[in-house]
């Protein structure tokens, strides 16, 4: 199994923002889980306003099925929306957000 990089090592500021916003929304468990997210794949849409990424393997364009919910967060700028399946964050939608800068040299 391929070991994907930890999001906290690639985008530490984003993980801190996610954890803070999740706590503010009363999503304490997800705030803790956010620290262990893996960067599986970028969205791939190539829209200039999108920096979204998958944190779990899942065939693009297929529904998540039972146990899926969205968590809308309220950042100071842009949009952050999480796809959560059975209390696991599987996708982080980052739209109209300040540019994410990789900290891992990748």
């Amino acid at each position: 199994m391929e070991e994907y990089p930890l999001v906290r090592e690639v985008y530490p500021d984003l993980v801190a923002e996610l954890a803070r916003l999740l706590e503010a929304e009363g999503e304490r468990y997800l705030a803790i889980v956010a620290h262990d997210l893996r960067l599986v794949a970028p969205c791939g849409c190539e829209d200039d306003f999108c920096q979204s990424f998958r944190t779990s393997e899942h065939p693009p364009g297929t529904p998540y099925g039972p146990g899926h919910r969205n968590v809308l967060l309220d950042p100071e700028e842009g949009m952050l929306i999480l796809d959560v399946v059975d209390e696991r964050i599987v996708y982080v939608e980052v739209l109209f957000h300040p540019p994410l800068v990789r900290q891992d040299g990748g």
Side-chain angles (χ1 to χ4, degrees):
M1 182 173 148
E2 184 177 347
E3 189 74 8
Y4 298 107
L6 288 163
V7 177
R8 72 175 182 248
E9 292 175 357
V10 178
Y11 301 122
D13 292 341
L14 178 64
V15 171
E17 181 178 19
L18 289 174
R20 180 179 54 77
L21 293 171
L22 285 163
E23 284 279 354
E25 289 295 321
E27 296 279 1
R28 183 165 179 72
Y29 179 76
L30 292 180
I32 293 167
V33 169
H35 293 282
D36 293 323
L37 295 177
R38 298 248 175 215
L39 181 57
V40 172
C43 167
C45 74
E46 299 184 19
D47 287 331
D48 61 355
F49 58 83
C50 179
Q51 301 175 81
S52 305
F53 54 91
R54 289 186 290 140
T55 61
S56 177
E57 293 198 22
H58 183 81
T62 61
Y64 287 111
H68 173 257
R69 67 184 176 109
N70 288 116
V71 177
L72 282 66
L73 300 174
D74 190 22
E76 288 186 27
E77 189 175 343
M79 297 172 61
L80 293 172
I81 305 165
L82 307 179
D83 281 296
V84 177
V85 177
D86 297 327
E87 296 309 299
R88 286 185 55 228
I89 300 169
V90 297
Y91 193 84
V92 179
E93 199 165 353
V94 184
L95 305 172
F96 304 103
H97 192 274
L100 300 176
V101 179
R102 289 187 74 114
Q103 300 296 313
D104 66 344

